[in-house]
Amino acid sequence: MHYFCISFTHKNTDLTLREKLSLNDETKKSEFLKLVLSKENIIESLVISTCNRVEILAFVEDLEQVSKHIITALALLCEVDKNDLTKRADIFEDSGAIHHLFSVASSLDSLVIGETQITGQIKNAFHFAKNLGFCGDNLAFALHHAFKCAAKVRNQTQISKNPISVASVAVAKAKELLDLSQKKAVVIGAGEMAQLACKHLLQTGAKLVILNRDIQKARELSEELKCEFDSLENLPNYLNTHELFFSATNANHAIITDKMIKSVEFKRYFFDIAVPRDIELDENDNVKVFAVDDLEEVVRKNLALRECEAGIAYSIIGAMTTEFFKTLSDLTLTPTIKALRLKAKECASKQLQIALSKGYLKKSDEEEARKLIHQTFKAFLHEPTLNLKHLQGKKSEEIIHSLNYLFNLGEHNETK
């Protein structure tokens, strides 16, 4: 059995292609996972889809053709070139897959190092896949350790001190361009990214108006933040009267286009922090658009500040990856060790009864003989037991199969 991961991120895939690969729509995500699991040797799978990444995590019987099958399914569903995906994909297997998962969960692989959204996004991806029966105990075990690793990184480093997100980076960029104090910003959307943008904007002294398709959600958020709200239907009324816009909806197409923009005397700034993008505008002297990938300058500063802490975090991830496979090995080997000891005990008892029935031993010596046999097998199995406990990964799997075959442990082994 193997852990497996295919990764498309800001590191290997441009924003235009990431938009096409986005699996935020639950129906599309479910259809994709069904396609993935249609291959017999793929046992469990889940997909993490955010503005900066699409990660497909799987638990498989063997690695043959797995990457080809998953890439083909993704290309088919998202209508992109399979060969292009194959060239871009980062592929991780076994310890590499777990190390990568731990790095992602700990926000070491994020566009903004130390951002705190990713843990929640992974949890949502897991719950979605689990509730629909696409993943079970094996991926749950890996994710439990990933969250444990992320918590350790947060607690033992300063990497998430003063948490940073794509939304906060967008606000920081806006602050470089404008004095936000008392400036009215239009925030489009009421989801997690939009809420983060709102909170960071309020900290600068900006005033807010929240636009959302679900007016009730806009009302609830505005009441919490004590700001204005309106229906997304009225967006055209704001586009040509306000200077500052932050858009973070789950729309599958652009909601702000050139035909909606009129010529005005003042400069307007649009921050598109959605994937797929919400904004498709031709820039000019008075219209500036910043998408996720345009915020890299601020991200680089963030990376430089956190580089030392990232080194500490990676050492934690390395240690936790080793610990994960040791725990996994122990869980896998324990039933086999128990089965081996039980088989030895049953064999000894059977031979003792034969010896008694044939008169090789006196009945009065039975208890002493039983103790001697027990101590003999205990001593004999001590060293093999210790050696088994130090095995990990594929090597332990092969030896377990060999032991089951050699000693015929089938009915004694809980894993069979």
Side-chain angles (χ1 to χ4, degrees), residues 4 11 47 76 80 107 125 157 173 199 202 204 221 255 259 271 281 325 346 378:
F4 180 86
K11 294 179 179 180
V47 59
L76 178 68
V80 296
S107 188
T157 73
K173 185 64 178 178
K199 289 172 183 177
L202 288 173
T204 70
L221 183 57
I255 61 170
K259 66 181 182 181
F271 290 86
L281 295 177
F325 280 102
E346 289 180 356
K378 186 177 178 182

Side-chain angles (χ1 to χ4, degrees), residues 266-328:
F266 55 88
K267 188 174 280 192
R268 282 166 289 184
Y269 298 90
F270 295 86
F271 290 86
D272 190 347
I273 51 179
V275 175
R277 281 175 284 193
D278 284 339
I279 301 169
E280 285 184 3
L281 295 177
D282 291 329
E283 292 189 88
N284 56 51
D285 289 343
N286 283 333
V287 174
K288 298 296 177 186
V289 180
F290 298 89
V292 170
D293 287 1
D294 297 319
L295 304 171
E296 285 188 353
E297 183 181 347
V298 180
V299 170
R300 280 195 295 271
K301 292 178 183 176
N302 161 67
L303 183 60
L305 287 171
R306 299 180 182 223
E307 190 172 350
C308 179
E309 294 299 308
I312 299 170
Y314 273 119
S315 68
I316 293 171
I317 290 168
M320 292 289 283
T321 300
T322 300
E323 180 185 317
F324 170 82
F325 280 102
K326 183 181 183 306
T327 304
L328 184 64

Side-chain angles (χ1 to χ4, degrees), residues 189-200:
E192 186 177 6
M193 191 71 80
Q195 291 177 37
L196 283 170
C198 288
K199 289 172 183 177
H200 288 293

Side-chain angles (χ1 to χ4, degrees), residues 162-385:
N162 301 319
I164 296 177
S165 64
V166 172
S168 69
V169 170
V171 174
K173 185 64 178 178
K175 197 174 178 181
E176 289 179 9
L177 300 169
L178 293 168
D179 177 9
L180 299 184
S181 178
Q182 302 305 308
K183 184 77 66 180
K184 180 170 280 190
V186 180
V187 178
I188 306 164
E192 186 177 6
M193 191 71 80
Q195 291 177 37
L196 283 170
C198 288
K199 289 172 183 177
H200 288 293
L201 283 164
L202 288 173
Q203 289 173 3
T204 70
K207 303 296 182 183
L208 303 180
V209 56
I210 298 167
L211 307 184
N212 194 52
R213 185 166 281 105
D214 185 334
I215 195 69
Q216 182 58 32
K217 284 187 178 179
R219 179 183 288 107
E220 289 171 0
L221 183 57
S222 69
E223 289 174 355
E224 178 188 341
L225 301 178
K226 296 180 173 54
C227 63
E228 299 176 34
F229 73 95
D230 202 346
S231 170
L232 186 61
E233 293 179 358
N234 296 322
L235 174 61
N237 299 336
Y238 293 85
L239 288 175
N240 301 300
T241 56
H242 290 69
E243 297 174 71
L244 189 59
F245 300 84
F246 291 80
S247 192
T249 75
N250 287 323
N252 293 320
H253 54 81
I255 61 170
I256 300 175
T257 59
D258 284 318
K259 66 181 182 181
M260 303 167 72
I261 301 294
K262 296 177 182 177
S263 178
V264 295
E265 295 299 319
F266 55 88
K267 188 174 280 192
R268 282 166 289 184
Y269 298 90
F270 295 86
F271 290 86
D272 190 347
I273 51 179
V275 175
R277 281 175 284 193
D278 284 339
I279 301 169
E280 285 184 3
L281 295 177
D282 291 329
E283 292 189 88
N284 56 51
D285 289 343
N286 283 333
V287 174
K288 298 296 177 186
V289 180
F290 298 89
V292 170
D293 287 1
D294 297 319
L295 304 171
E296 285 188 353
E297 183 181 347
V298 180
V299 170
R300 280 195 295 271
K301 292 178 183 176
N302 161 67
L303 183 60
L305 287 171
R306 299 180 182 223
E307 190 172 350
C308 179
E309 294 299 308
I312 299 170
Y314 273 119
S315 68
I316 293 171
I317 290 168
M320 292 289 283
T321 300
T322 300
E323 180 185 317
F324 170 82
F325 280 102
K326 183 181 183 306
T327 304
L328 184 64
S329 179
D330 288 345
L331 288 173
T332 306
L333 289 163
T334 296
T336 299
I337 292 169
K338 286 181 178 178
L340 194 58
R341 287 177 174 271
L342 180 60
K343 182 88 178 220
K345 183 179 178 181
E346 289 180 356
C347 182
S349 295
K350 183 178 179 180
Q351 294 305 313
L352 179 59
Q353 292 305 314
I354 291 172
L356 288 167
S357 66
K358 293 189 175 184
Y360 301 151
L361 281 175
K362 294 178 182 179
K363 185 66 177 175
S364 59
D365 294 329
E366 180 181 358
E367 192 57 35
E368 292 302 317
R370 193 182 300 279
K371 287 179 182 178
L372 177 61
I373 294 171
H374 174 72
Q375 289 302 322
T376 301
F377 272 107
K378 186 177 178 182
F380 176 74
L381 292 173
H382 176 68
E383 193 169 355
T385 298

